[in-house]
Amino acid sequence: MSKKWQITVPGSTANLGPGFDSIGLSLNLYLDLTVSLADQWEITHVSDHLPQDIVIEEHLIYTIARETAARFNKELPPCRVVMRSELPFARGLGSSAAAIVAAIELANLVCDLQLTTQDKLNISSQIEGHPDNASASVLGGLTISQMDEQGIVDTIPVTDLDASFVVFIPKVELKTSEARKVLPEQFERGYAVRASANANMLAASLIAKDYVRIGRYMESDLFHEPFRSALIPNFDEIHRVAKEAGAYGTALSGAGPTVISIIPPAIGNQFVLTMKKYFPKHEIILTKADHQGISVQVLNDVPA
Ligand code: HSE
Protein backbone atom coordinates (compact mmCIF):
# COMPACT_ATOMS: atom_id res chain seq x y z
CA MET A 1 0.00 0.00 0.00
CA SER A 2 1.25 3.53 -0.65
CA LYS A 3 0.06 6.96 0.36
CA LYS A 4 -1.74 9.45 -1.82
CA TRP A 5 -2.20 13.14 -1.08
CA GLN A 6 -4.28 15.93 -2.53
CA ILE A 7 -2.66 19.36 -2.27
CA THR A 8 -4.92 22.35 -2.95
CA VAL A 9 -3.57 25.89 -3.27
CA PRO A 10 -5.52 29.06 -4.01
CA GLY A 11 -4.38 31.47 -6.69
CA SER A 12 -4.06 35.11 -5.74
CA THR A 13 -3.99 38.69 -6.81
CA ALA A 14 -1.07 40.87 -5.76
CA ASN A 15 -0.48 44.56 -5.13
CA LEU A 16 -4.11 45.83 -5.18
CA GLY A 17 -2.56 48.98 -6.63
CA PRO A 18 0.16 50.52 -4.44
CA GLY A 19 0.75 47.50 -2.17
CA PHE A 20 3.51 46.59 -4.61
CA ASP A 21 5.34 43.32 -3.80
CA SER A 22 3.69 43.36 -0.35
CA ILE A 23 -0.10 42.96 -0.40
CA GLY A 24 -1.69 39.71 -1.60
CA LEU A 25 -5.21 38.34 -1.62
CA SER A 26 -6.00 34.67 -2.21
CA LEU A 27 -8.93 33.98 -4.53
CA ASN A 28 -11.30 31.03 -4.79
CA LEU A 29 -9.60 29.79 -7.97
CA TYR A 30 -7.44 26.76 -7.29
CA LEU A 31 -4.44 24.68 -8.28
CA ASP A 32 -4.78 21.08 -7.24
CA LEU A 33 -2.19 18.26 -7.20
CA THR A 34 -2.84 14.59 -6.55
CA VAL A 35 0.46 13.01 -5.55
CA SER A 36 1.52 9.40 -4.99
CA LEU A 37 4.93 7.73 -4.84
CA ALA A 38 5.92 5.93 -8.05
CA ASP A 39 8.80 4.08 -9.72
CA GLN A 40 9.53 7.01 -12.00
CA TRP A 41 8.44 10.62 -12.38
CA GLU A 42 5.16 11.22 -14.16
CA ILE A 43 3.23 14.52 -14.31
CA THR A 44 -0.15 14.69 -16.03
CA HIS A 45 -2.09 17.88 -16.73
CA VAL A 46 -5.87 17.61 -16.81
CA SER A 47 -6.98 21.24 -17.38
CA ASP A 48 -7.31 23.45 -20.42
CA HIS A 49 -5.23 26.09 -18.60
CA LEU A 50 -2.16 23.81 -18.58
CA PRO A 51 0.08 22.92 -21.55
CA GLN A 52 0.24 19.30 -22.69
CA ASP A 53 3.93 19.25 -23.72
CA ILE A 54 5.52 18.28 -20.42
CA VAL A 55 9.28 18.02 -19.87
CA ILE A 56 9.64 16.66 -16.34
CA GLU A 57 13.13 18.10 -15.75
CA GLU A 58 11.85 21.62 -16.59
CA HIS A 59 8.48 21.37 -14.83
CA LEU A 60 8.07 23.92 -12.01
CA ILE A 61 6.55 21.34 -9.65
CA TYR A 62 9.50 18.96 -10.14
CA THR A 63 12.27 21.59 -10.03
CA ILE A 64 10.93 23.41 -6.96
CA ALA A 65 10.13 20.20 -5.07
CA ARG A 66 13.64 18.89 -5.77
CA GLU A 67 15.19 22.23 -4.75
CA THR A 68 13.16 22.23 -1.52
CA ALA A 69 14.20 18.67 -0.63
CA ALA A 70 17.84 19.56 -1.38
CA ARG A 71 17.68 22.52 1.05
CA PHE A 72 17.18 19.89 3.77
CA ASN A 73 19.71 17.41 2.32
CA LYS A 74 16.99 15.04 1.17
CA GLU A 75 16.54 13.41 -2.20
CA LEU A 76 13.10 13.69 -3.74
CA PRO A 77 11.65 10.25 -4.56
CA PRO A 78 9.84 9.76 -7.91
CA CYS A 79 6.16 10.70 -7.80
CA ARG A 80 3.10 10.42 -9.97
CA VAL A 81 1.42 13.85 -10.04
CA VAL A 82 -1.93 14.75 -11.54
CA MET A 83 -2.29 18.54 -11.82
CA ARG A 84 -5.51 20.51 -12.30
CA SER A 85 -5.68 24.28 -12.44
CA GLU A 86 -8.25 27.05 -12.66
CA LEU A 87 -5.40 29.57 -12.93
CA PRO A 88 -4.44 30.76 -16.38
CA PHE A 89 -0.66 30.99 -16.90
CA ALA A 90 1.09 34.40 -17.00
CA ARG A 91 -2.07 36.46 -16.44
CA GLY A 92 -1.42 37.95 -13.00
CA LEU A 93 -3.43 35.47 -10.91
CA GLY A 94 -0.51 33.95 -9.02
CA SER A 95 -0.25 30.70 -11.01
CA SER A 96 3.54 30.50 -10.49
CA ALA A 97 3.33 31.27 -6.77
CA ALA A 98 0.58 28.65 -6.34
CA ALA A 99 2.73 26.07 -8.18
CA ILE A 100 5.76 26.95 -6.02
CA VAL A 101 3.71 26.65 -2.81
CA ALA A 102 2.28 23.31 -4.01
CA ALA A 103 5.73 21.97 -4.93
CA ILE A 104 7.15 22.92 -1.51
CA GLU A 105 4.27 21.04 0.11
CA LEU A 106 4.88 18.04 -2.15
CA ALA A 107 8.51 17.87 -0.97
CA ASN A 108 7.36 18.41 2.61
CA LEU A 109 5.00 15.42 2.41
CA VAL A 110 7.07 12.88 0.47
CA CYS A 111 10.36 13.71 2.28
CA ASP A 112 8.73 14.26 5.69
CA LEU A 113 10.46 17.66 6.08
CA GLN A 114 8.14 18.78 8.93
CA LEU A 115 8.02 22.33 7.54
CA THR A 116 6.29 24.98 9.62
CA THR A 117 3.99 27.60 8.10
CA GLN A 118 6.80 30.12 8.59
CA ASP A 119 9.18 27.83 6.63
CA LYS A 120 6.63 27.63 3.80
CA LEU A 121 6.22 31.44 3.76
CA ASN A 122 9.98 31.96 3.69
CA ILE A 123 10.88 29.35 1.07
CA SER A 124 8.04 30.23 -1.32
CA SER A 125 8.68 33.98 -1.07
CA GLN A 126 12.45 33.54 -1.52
CA ILE A 127 11.85 31.53 -4.70
CA GLU A 128 9.25 34.03 -5.99
CA GLY A 129 11.45 37.00 -5.04
CA HIS A 130 8.61 38.81 -3.23
CA PRO A 131 6.11 37.67 -0.60
CA ASP A 132 2.78 39.02 -1.91
CA ASN A 133 1.28 36.14 -3.93
CA ALA A 134 3.10 33.39 -2.03
CA SER A 135 1.93 34.56 1.44
CA ALA A 136 -1.68 34.76 0.26
CA SER A 137 -1.47 31.26 -1.25
CA VAL A 138 0.03 29.80 1.94
CA LEU A 139 -2.25 31.52 4.47
CA GLY A 140 -5.40 32.42 2.51
CA GLY A 141 -7.20 35.74 2.82
CA LEU A 142 -5.59 39.14 2.54
CA THR A 143 -1.98 39.38 3.66
CA ILE A 144 0.30 42.37 4.13
CA SER A 145 3.88 41.11 4.08
CA GLN A 146 7.50 42.09 4.18
CA MET A 147 10.56 39.93 3.41
CA ASP A 148 13.87 40.97 4.95
CA GLU A 149 17.33 40.63 3.38
CA GLN A 150 17.74 37.18 4.95
CA GLY A 151 14.54 36.02 3.26
CA ILE A 152 12.46 35.91 6.45
CA VAL A 153 8.83 36.87 5.86
CA ASP A 154 6.70 38.86 8.30
CA THR A 155 2.98 38.82 7.51
CA ILE A 156 -0.11 40.44 9.01
CA PRO A 157 -3.39 38.91 7.81
CA VAL A 158 -6.46 41.12 7.37
CA THR A 159 -9.55 39.01 7.93
CA ASP A 160 -13.25 39.19 7.06
CA LEU A 161 -13.24 41.57 4.11
CA ASP A 162 -16.87 41.96 3.09
CA ALA A 163 -16.23 42.36 -0.63
CA SER A 164 -16.26 40.44 -3.89
CA PHE A 165 -13.65 40.64 -6.60
CA VAL A 166 -14.12 40.53 -10.35
CA VAL A 167 -11.22 39.57 -12.57
CA PHE A 168 -10.98 40.66 -16.21
CA ILE A 169 -8.64 38.17 -17.91
CA PRO A 170 -7.53 39.09 -21.43
CA LYS A 171 -6.46 36.46 -23.95
CA VAL A 172 -2.84 37.71 -24.02
CA GLU A 173 -0.10 36.49 -21.67
CA LEU A 174 2.33 38.84 -19.89
CA LYS A 175 5.20 37.31 -17.97
CA THR A 176 6.04 39.03 -14.68
CA SER A 177 9.69 39.22 -15.73
CA GLU A 178 8.65 41.27 -18.81
CA ALA A 179 6.28 43.48 -16.80
CA ARG A 180 9.08 44.22 -14.29
CA LYS A 181 11.48 45.36 -17.04
CA VAL A 182 9.40 48.51 -17.68
CA LEU A 183 9.68 49.70 -14.08
CA PRO A 184 12.10 52.50 -13.14
CA GLU A 185 15.14 51.56 -11.03
CA GLN A 186 14.76 54.65 -8.82
CA PHE A 187 12.21 57.27 -7.78
CA GLU A 188 12.86 60.89 -6.82
CA ARG A 189 12.23 61.43 -3.08
CA GLY A 190 9.02 63.50 -3.31
CA TYR A 191 7.53 60.93 -5.73
CA ALA A 192 8.55 58.04 -3.44
CA VAL A 193 6.92 59.78 -0.46
CA ARG A 194 3.62 60.14 -2.34
CA ALA A 195 3.78 56.53 -3.57
CA SER A 196 4.51 55.26 -0.08
CA ALA A 197 1.75 57.40 1.50
CA ASN A 198 -0.77 55.92 -0.96
CA ALA A 199 0.38 52.40 -0.04
CA ASN A 200 0.11 53.20 3.67
CA MET A 201 -3.40 54.57 3.18
CA LEU A 202 -4.40 51.44 1.24
CA ALA A 203 -3.17 49.23 4.09
CA ALA A 204 -4.90 51.42 6.70
CA SER A 205 -8.16 51.39 4.69
CA LEU A 206 -8.03 47.58 4.42
CA ILE A 207 -7.56 47.26 8.17
CA ALA A 208 -10.35 49.82 8.81
CA LYS A 209 -12.56 48.01 6.22
CA ASP A 210 -13.30 51.40 4.66
CA TYR A 211 -14.29 50.11 1.23
CA VAL A 212 -14.69 53.49 -0.46
CA ARG A 213 -11.15 54.43 0.55
CA ILE A 214 -9.84 50.94 -0.35
CA GLY A 215 -11.16 51.58 -3.86
CA ARG A 216 -9.71 55.08 -3.98
CA TYR A 217 -6.24 54.04 -2.90
CA MET A 218 -6.26 50.92 -5.09
CA GLU A 219 -6.50 53.38 -7.98
CA SER A 220 -3.71 55.64 -6.71
CA ASP A 221 -0.64 53.50 -7.35
CA LEU A 222 2.56 55.28 -8.35
CA PHE A 223 5.00 52.35 -8.02
CA HIS A 224 4.13 50.26 -11.08
CA GLU A 225 0.80 50.90 -12.80
CA PRO A 226 1.82 54.18 -14.50
CA PHE A 227 4.60 52.25 -16.25
CA ARG A 228 2.70 49.04 -16.98
CA SER A 229 -0.70 50.37 -18.06
CA ALA A 230 0.35 50.68 -21.72
CA LEU A 231 0.90 46.89 -21.77
CA ILE A 232 -2.63 46.15 -20.55
CA PRO A 233 -5.64 45.73 -22.90
CA ASN A 234 -8.52 48.15 -22.07
CA PHE A 235 -6.82 49.35 -18.86
CA ASP A 236 -8.50 52.80 -18.72
CA GLU A 237 -11.89 51.69 -20.08
CA ILE A 238 -12.24 48.91 -17.51
CA HIS A 239 -11.50 51.38 -14.70
CA ARG A 240 -14.09 53.84 -15.98
CA VAL A 241 -16.89 51.39 -16.82
CA ALA A 242 -16.37 49.40 -13.60
CA LYS A 243 -16.64 52.57 -11.50
CA GLU A 244 -19.86 53.58 -13.33
CA ALA A 245 -21.28 50.09 -12.62
CA GLY A 246 -20.62 50.35 -8.88
CA ALA A 247 -17.07 49.09 -8.26
CA TYR A 248 -15.25 50.58 -5.27
CA GLY A 249 -12.04 50.50 -7.29
CA THR A 250 -9.99 48.71 -9.92
CA ALA A 251 -6.29 47.82 -10.21
CA LEU A 252 -3.89 45.62 -12.09
CA SER A 253 -3.89 42.08 -10.74
CA GLY A 254 -0.24 41.50 -9.87
CA ALA A 255 1.89 42.35 -12.88
CA GLY A 256 -1.15 42.03 -15.18
CA PRO A 257 -2.49 41.65 -17.79
CA THR A 258 -5.56 40.73 -15.69
CA VAL A 259 -7.37 43.68 -14.10
CA ILE A 260 -9.35 43.28 -10.85
CA SER A 261 -12.25 45.27 -9.40
CA ILE A 262 -13.36 45.23 -5.79
CA ILE A 263 -17.15 45.44 -5.53
CA PRO A 264 -19.94 45.22 -2.93
CA PRO A 265 -21.05 41.54 -2.80
CA ALA A 266 -24.69 42.50 -3.41
CA ILE A 267 -24.04 43.75 -6.96
CA GLY A 268 -21.84 40.79 -8.06
CA ASN A 269 -23.96 39.03 -10.70
CA GLN A 270 -25.36 42.20 -12.26
CA PHE A 271 -21.89 43.77 -12.35
CA VAL A 272 -20.45 40.76 -14.20
CA LEU A 273 -23.33 40.74 -16.73
CA THR A 274 -22.74 44.44 -17.45
CA MET A 275 -18.97 44.01 -17.77
CA LYS A 276 -19.38 41.06 -20.16
CA LYS A 277 -21.38 43.30 -22.49
CA TYR A 278 -18.66 45.96 -22.53
CA PHE A 279 -15.63 43.65 -22.64
CA PRO A 280 -16.63 40.56 -24.66
CA LYS A 281 -13.00 39.65 -25.40
CA HIS A 282 -12.12 39.23 -21.72
CA GLU A 283 -12.92 36.25 -19.54
CA ILE A 284 -14.72 37.89 -16.61
CA ILE A 285 -15.07 35.92 -13.36
CA LEU A 286 -16.76 36.79 -10.06
CA THR A 287 -14.50 35.63 -7.21
CA LYS A 288 -14.30 35.78 -3.43
CA ALA A 289 -11.33 35.62 -1.11
CA ASP A 290 -10.23 32.08 -0.20
CA HIS A 291 -9.97 31.80 3.59
CA GLN A 292 -8.01 28.57 3.98
CA GLY A 293 -4.77 28.89 2.04
CA ILE A 294 -2.92 25.69 1.26
CA SER A 295 -4.64 22.49 2.36
CA VAL A 296 -3.67 18.83 2.25
CA GLN A 297 -5.96 15.87 2.26
CA VAL A 298 -4.57 12.38 2.78
CA LEU A 299 -6.50 10.14 0.40
CA ASN A 300 -7.20 6.49 1.15
CA ASP A 301 -4.18 4.24 0.82
CA VAL A 302 -4.05 2.74 -2.63
CA PRO A 303 -2.42 -0.54 -3.70
CA ALA A 304 1.21 0.28 -4.64
N1 HSE B 1 4.32 42.15 -7.07
C1 HSE B 1 4.60 41.44 -8.30
C2 HSE B 1 4.70 42.44 -9.43
C3 HSE B 1 3.46 40.48 -8.55
O1 HSE B 1 3.83 43.31 -9.50
O2 HSE B 1 5.64 42.37 -10.23
C4 HSE B 1 3.71 39.58 -9.71
O3 HSE B 1 4.54 38.53 -9.39
Side-chain angles (χ1 to χ4, degrees), residues 14-15 20-21 128 130 132-133 176 180 224 228 254-255:
N15 303 327
F20 182 64
D21 280 2
E128 266 274 282
H130 34 84
D132 43 8
N133 293 101
T176 297
R180 288 179 91 85
H224 66 115
R228 287 173 163 168

Side-chain angles (χ1 to χ4, degrees), residues 5-9 31-35 43-44 59 61 81-84 98-99 101-103 105-106 297 299:
W5 299 270
Q6 184 169 342
I7 303 169
T8 304
V9 183
L31 170 73
D32 178 284
L33 301 185
T34 305
V35 180
I43 300 180
T44 312
H59 198 286
I61 296 295
V81 178
V82 178
M83 182 165 169
R84 291 177 191 78
V101 168
E105 189 61 58
L106 186 157
Q297 201 185 344
L299 302 175

Side-chain angles (χ1 to χ4, degrees), residues 221-265:
D221 169 63
L222 294 173
F223 285 122
H224 66 115
E225 293 197 6
F227 315 102
R228 287 173 163 168
S229 58
L231 307 174
I232 309 303
N234 303 99
F235 182 81
D236 291 328
E237 297 96 306
I238 294 175
H239 278 68
R240 182 173 48 75
V241 176
K243 183 57 68 68
E244 285 166 9
Y248 293 122
T250 299
L252 257 191
S253 182
T258 293
V259 170
I260 186 163
S261 291
I262 177 171
I263 64 169

Side-chain angles (χ1 to χ4, degrees), residues 95-110:
S95 63
S96 304
I100 289 168
V101 168
I104 292 167
E105 189 61 58
L106 186 157
N108 184 37
L109 293 167
V110 301

